[in-house]
Amino acid sequence: QVQLVESGGGSVQAGGSLRLSCAASGRTFSSYAMGWFRQAPGKEREFVAAISRSGGFVHYGDSVKGRFSISRDNTKNTVYLQMNSLKPEDTAVYYCAADEGLVSLTPLSYDYWGQGTQVTVSS
């Protein structure tokens, strides 16, 4: 089992940037595909980004393509989400997730979840 803790959320003006981090426990971090999801009030949990075990393949949701980037450092057991050109509609709780299988776009496929970190973008 892996435990995940997100950090780096906060408040930022539209057009600004934030960098989220997800620190994972355990000795097998590199065996998990990792993903970021977000959920705004009254909306379903939305796929944001995912990255393969070695970081060679990345995938993004349509709403964040060209603005967000996901990366990982397996030596630090950490996955990152760099968010640029933030918009008010990016406001949500952002969750880090780990998948024992291959990269997936649906939250149902992920096995472990962090507690979430709030991102608020003001206009």
Side-chain angles (χ1 to χ4, degrees):
Q1 184 173 331
V2 62
Q3 294 176 307
L4 308 172
V5 179
E6 302 96 334
S7 62
S11 297
V12 65
Q13 292 183 337
S17 299
L18 284 174
R19 183 180 176 89
L20 305 184
S21 298
C22 175
S25 66
R27 296 173 290 180
T28 58
F29 176 73
S30 62
S31 69
Y32 296 96
M34 300 296 297
W36 286 96
F37 294 80
R38 66 187 184 186
Q39 189 165 24
K43 296 187 177 181
E44 295 182 351
R45 189 161 295 190
E46 177 188 18
F47 171 74
V48 175
I51 189 167
S52 62
R53 293 179 176 90
S54 63
F57 295 93
V58 295
H59 308 271
Y60 298 98
D62 290 341
S63 62
V64 305
K65 286 181 179 178
R67 300 188 298 120
F68 292 9
S69 62
I70 187 171
S71 61
R72 68 190 297 164
D73 186 342
N74 288 345
T75 68
K76 298 180 179 179
N77 282 11
T78 303
V79 63
Y80 306 94
L81 184 69
Q82 179 67 46
M83 305 184 294
N84 299 322
S85 301
L86 283 162
K87 305 174 181 179
E89 48 263 49
D90 294 318
T91 296
V93 177
Y94 284 71
Y95 297 91
C96 175
D99 189 352
E100 294 178 344
L102 299 177
V103 171
S104 176
L105 306 183
T106 174
L108 295 176
S109 296
Y110 286 80
D111 302 290
Y112 308 103
W113 293 83
Q115 82 289 348
T117 185
Q118 177 71 47
V119 172
T120 302
V121 184
S122 62
S123 59

